[in-house]
Amino acid sequence: MTRIGNGGEQDLVRDIQRGDRVAMKLLYCRYAGCLTAVCSRYVACMDDVRDVLQDCFVKIFTSIHGFEWRGEGSLRGWMVRISGGGRQHCQSTQE
């Protein structure tokens, strides 16, 4: 069960892997701002940023079972790599 507050990344990942929707919402709330900034580096239009961000979170939540926690900060780094891949989505829609 998710502990709201200052629970660590490892607990959060474990809860999400168990299907805890509160943990998913907590992850989104914690990291949406950071990932929006990453997506904004590659996408100029804010509506497109939101679309890319949504795609990123879908990929994050569907791929989290394969995530291997390697220490504090590894979750954020993994998600940033996924959201950086959003630039490929953006480039493909511009062509």
Side-chain angles (χ1 to χ4, degrees):
M1 183 171 184
T2 303
R3 291 169 296 281
I4 303 296
N6 51 0
E9 286 183 347
Q10 190 172 20
D11 293 333
L12 188 59
V13 168
R14 185 175 47 246
D15 290 344
I16 292 170
Q17 289 172 336
R18 292 178 181 161
D20 186 334
R21 290 183 179 250
V22 173
M24 290 177 184
K25 183 175 182 176
L26 182 57
L27 178 94
Y28 179 85
C29 291
R30 280 189 186 175
Y31 295 100
C34 166
L35 298 180
T36 298
V38 172
C39 293
S40 296
R41 293 180 194 150
Y42 308 110
V43 183
C45 174
M46 197 58 188
D47 287 336
D48 291 339
V49 169
R50 289 186 195 104
D51 289 343
V52 171
L53 185 66
Q54 179 178 351
D55 291 345
C56 291
F57 273 103
V58 168
K59 185 167 185 175
I60 287 165
F61 290 130
T62 58
S63 303
I64 196 117
H65 291 286
F67 171 74
E68 184 178 328
W69 193 80
R70 296 183 179 162
E72 212 57 44
S74 63
L75 177 61
R76 182 179 182 275
W78 178 72
M79 292 190 305
V80 165
R81 282 192 300 281
I82 289 173
S83 61
R87 72 180 149 198
Q88 294 170 345
H89 167 80
C90 177
Q91 291 168 345
S92 67
T93 58
Q94 291 176 352
E95 294 174 356

